[in-house]
Amino acid sequence: MTAHGPVMPVWSCGGCGLPWPCPTRRRELRAEYADAPVSLALYLGSYLVQAAEDMPWTPAGVLHRRFPGWVRAADSSTPAVQQRSTATVPAEPSREAPDQAR
């Protein structure tokens, strides 16, 4: 168990006093979730929700960067996955009269 856990509701690190997750805890989390980056992002996302409730005056962007935002930004070894649309465009209906559609 780490000594670098969050002290709520101020969200400071219990081990070093820096804003949580501190650099030490980030390294620990990276090691713990090395093979599961999506799980790490979900885990930190749940903390983001709690922190937003505890610190409603903090801008959402600041909280995002502090909690799940660093996960992908710091991972330069894995390229971002480019998503391609699988949507298809329906064929245009015939503009001819129903009798002439043959």
Side-chain angles (χ1 to χ4, degrees), residues 6-38:
V7 176
M8 297 178 234
V10 295
W11 292 88
S12 63
C13 177
C16 62
L18 293 172
W20 193 89
C22 66
T24 300
R25 186 61 183 139
R26 288 181 183 195
R27 281 191 301 277
E28 292 172 349
L29 288 167
R30 275 226 177 264
E32 289 175 39
Y33 288 88
D35 296 327
V38 173

Side-chain angles (χ1 to χ4, degrees), residues 43-93:
Y43 173 74
L44 291 168
S46 69
Y47 278 122
L48 167 68
V49 171
Q50 292 176 13
E53 291 173 359
D54 290 340
M55 301 182 296
W57 59 88
T58 307
V62 170
L63 291 176
H64 179 268
R65 282 187 300 277
R66 182 171 166 182
F67 290 89
W70 62 269
V71 173
R72 188 166 182 180
D75 189 10
S76 60
S77 63
T78 305
V81 176
Q82 184 177 12
Q83 295 182 351
R84 293 185 179 167
S85 174
T86 58
T88 58
V89 178
E92 284 191 38

